Amino acid sequence: MVMSLELLACAEMTEADRRAVAAGVSGAALMEAAGAAVARRARELWPAARRILVLAGPGANGGDGYVAARRLAERGLAVTVAALVPPERLSGDAAFMASRWSGAVTPIADADFGAADVIVDALFGAGLSRPLEGAAADAAERANASRTPILAVDVPSGLHGDLGAPLGRGPVVRAAATVTFVRPKPGHVLLPGRTLCGALTVADIGTPEAVVPSLGVATFRNRPALWSGALPRPATDGHKYRRGHALVWSGPEFMTGAARLSAFAAARVGAGAVTIAGAPAALRVHAAHVSAIMLAEAVDADGLEKLFGARRFASAVVGPGAGPGVEAAARAALDGAESAVLDADVFTAFAGRPDELAAAIRRAPARPVVLTPHEGEFARLFPDLTDGSKLDRARAAASRTGAVVALKGADTVVAAPDGRAAIADNAPPTLATAGAGDVLAGFCAGLLAQGMPAFEAAAAAVWIHGEAAAGFGPGLIADDLPHVAPAVLARLLGAPKDS
Ligand SMILES: NC(=O)C1=CN([C@@H]2O[C@H](COP(=O)(O)OP(=O)(O)OC[C@H]3O[C@@H](n4cnc5c(N)ncnc54)[C@H](OP(=O)(O)O)[C@@H]3O)[C@@H](O)[C@H]2O)[C@H](O)CC1
Ligand SMILES: [K+]
């Protein structure tokens, strides 16, 4: 099984195949290895299965299906191929593999979906070019309705490997498991694709080692290996301000909770000092709740500017529970802090004016900025960025604003203006709870404050957030997240907490 960070877009996968063939591996050998991996996985998952129905499509995905059929039949299983197109209409390696299949082939319309123990879905893979309709749509729907476990080859048919969603309104196969090749694709990680794939495995099919690194892939799974090298490690001779002073802008007195969640989060991921800035009435409320976190008066953006003028703030958070004056506060933070995390109310304030926000960010192009919208806030801020996958939209927003964009959800995408992107798959459903976003903004700010580069800081914050929630388990509220983050950090930094 392959464990790696890269996620290959369908076009990159095609290019990987081309380069593998150019390096001397035959297409037939790749297909043989792909089909063999599918057969192996079917036997591993369903060792008691005896009757296998392989749905074979018109392209190379179907070719993989013919290989899997042969390999399973060689093991004594009763295999039928249900063909979307007659085998003689196939071409290339798929035609060759169909010619090596001597077992039963039935037109897909006549196949008995209920008579199989396992269905292998080899209808369409990376070549899906339009929604499923007609006989293909019927087959997908009958496979789903049969309740027979489905093993998808490369991707469940109908699911687009780049989008993580079906093409158009066509149906999509719901797989119990999926075997993909070389590397996962974004569509295996983005939702709903991740769910439609079931248990995903990645098979090595003999693509030479050098091929994937030669592709310049910029999309990754959000895993510690992507950013742990940049994770701040407190130095023995460290000074609290050298570990970074983060500022959190507070809303008015009845909206203080969000700022406190951000402030605790920034402190727990290692900012050396954290200050909450706000109006006196709000600070009085904060004072009843915090000890290590400092308070500083800033009635409005002018007050905030004065604070930034008086001392260095390595990062600032503006947006959580911010209320009135948030636009001016965001502008002050972009000008005055060494890095900034903008969240929540900032996106409402700049709704439909992303270019004005971008202009404010680009006044200091070297200053790291992270934007952390959820889908609703993203739609408000960028009403015209509706096309493409979540990955495409986050990338477009990052390139447009010059900020790192963390487009939140159960498949949070972190995208950088330079084109890099990471997709997270570790957030448990319990993370969808009030205030969790405020904590995420604080984690980002705490890591930025310690000098972690913005893309890595945002990706790490998202991952830590997910792990903290998963580790806590049921009953999670946002207040718990900063408290459990140190255990996650201890694992990342390799230092047992109790040593
Ligand atoms: N290294 C690897 O990953 C390898 C992967 N292999 C397998 O190859 C497929 C990709 O094969 P490809 O032939 O490019 O594409 P598909 O098999 O997915 O399907 C293409 C054909 O299907 C037609 N098509 C597309 N969408 C529809 C639809 N909705 N309805 C009907 N027909 C459709 C398409 O027609 P066009 O008009 O668009 O040309 C093609 O005829 C990959 O997924 C792996 O499984 C290799 O086996 C080995 C290496
Ligand atoms: K498939």
Side-chain angles (χ1 to χ4, degrees):
M1 207 192 298
V2 178
M3 284 304 288
S4 52
L5 293 171
E6 299 98 341
L7 296 171
L8 297 191
C10 293
E12 288 170 328
M13 190 61 238
T14 305
E15 181 59 17
D17 281 350
R18 204 192 60 73
R19 291 187 192 191
V21 170
V25 185
S26 75
L30 294 173
M31 190 174 278
E32 186 67 35
V38 172
R40 253 194 325 275
R41 184 71 175 142
R43 291 176 46 238
E44 181 182 295
L45 286 173
W46 297 287
R50 288 288 162 263
R51 300 162 306 166
I52 312 290
L53 181 66
V54 176
L55 313 180
N61 198 253
D64 297 348
Y66 278 98
V67 174
R70 169 164 42 82
R71 295 281 185 142
L72 289 166
E74 281 166 7
R75 293 282 174 169
L77 298 170
V79 184
T80 300
V81 172
L84 190 62
V85 300
E88 56 277 12
R89 296 240 317 263
L90 301 179
S91 60
D93 296 327
F96 172 63
M97 294 307 177
S99 76
R100 296 192 61 197
W101 167 245
S102 53
V105 179
T106 174
I108 210 158
D110 301 339
D112 185 355
F113 286 72
D117 302 319
V118 173
I119 294 173
V120 173
D121 161 28
L123 286 174
F124 305 103
L128 183 80
S129 56
R130 51 194 180 276
L132 301 194
E133 52 187 31
D138 278 356
E141 277 161 356
R142 286 171 68 205
N144 289 340
S146 72
R147 304 202 163 267
T148 305
I150 301 173
L151 178 60
V153 179
D154 200 8
V155 282
S157 296
L159 177 69
H160 195 283
D162 290 344
L163 301 178
L167 261 194
R169 289 174 175 273
V172 56
V173 166
R174 282 194 306 274
T178 297
V179 180
T180 193
F181 313 114
V182 185
R183 294 289 185 278
K185 317 299 175 298
H188 295 125
V189 188
L190 291 169
L191 292 169
R194 194 197 309 160
T195 314
L196 292 164
C197 289
L200 179 72
T201 48
V202 184
D204 177 0
I205 54 170
T207 306
E209 288 270 306
V211 166
V212 173
S214 75
L215 294 171
V217 175
T219 309
F220 307 95
R221 284 202 268 205
N222 187 347
R223 294 283 150 84
L226 186 64
W227 39 259
S228 58
L231 202 63
R233 282 159 206 273
T236 324
D237 60 350
H239 178 285
K240 68 182 173 194
Y241 292 120
R242 234 181 270 148
R243 292 182 60 203
H245 190 167
L247 177 142
V248 179
W249 164 253
S250 172
E253 100 189 84
F254 297 117
M255 297 173 61
T256 61
R260 240 175 358 261
L261 286 170
S262 296
F264 278 119
R268 287 290 186 191
V269 290
V274 180
T275 291
I276 297 177
L283 296 186
R284 263 181 229 109
V285 180
H286 286 297
H289 293 274
V290 300
S291 310
I293 288 163
M294 296 176 277
L295 303 171
E297 186 178 329
V299 185
D300 53 17
D302 287 344
L304 206 46
E305 270 171 34
K306 285 200 188 81
L307 285 181
F308 288 132
R311 62 169 315 145
R312 276 182 58 198
F313 285 97
S315 69
V317 182
V318 176
V326 65
E327 177 173 341
R331 290 180 183 278
L334 289 171
D335 284 343
E338 287 170 5
S339 66
V341 181
L342 304 182
D343 186 36
D345 295 358
V346 172
F347 308 126
T348 311
F350 279 95
R353 298 184 293 135
D355 296 339
E356 286 184 42
L357 179 58
I361 291 168
R362 291 185 194 280
R363 275 161 61 99
R367 182 165 300 170
V369 176
V370 178
L371 309 179
T372 52
H374 58 55
E375 286 278 8
E377 291 161 345
F378 187 93
R380 277 202 284 284
L381 181 60
F382 303 102
D384 57 333
L385 291 185
T386 52
D387 289 346
S389 68
K390 184 169 185 173
L391 179 62
D392 298 330
R393 290 180 291 115
R395 271 204 172 108
S399 122
R400 185 155 167 186
T401 56
V404 168
V405 173
L407 178 49
K408 296 184 293 194
D411 52 355
T412 297
V413 174
V414 175
D418 64 12
R420 283 175 300 160
I423 309 174
D425 61 358
N426 69 335
T430 49
L431 197 46
T433 183
D438 308 324
V439 173
L440 179 69
F443 284 161
C444 283
L447 294 171
L448 284 171
Q450 297 168 83
M452 196 172 184
F455 174 71
E456 285 79 359
V462 167
W463 189 89
I464 291 167
H465 197 235
E467 287 301 291
F472 188 91
L476 176 85
I477 62 169
D479 305 60
D480 301 317
L481 290 165
H483 296 287
V484 287
V488 178
L489 279 174
R491 284 208 314 274
L492 284 170
L493 295 170
K497 260 198 86 202
D498 49 3
S499 70

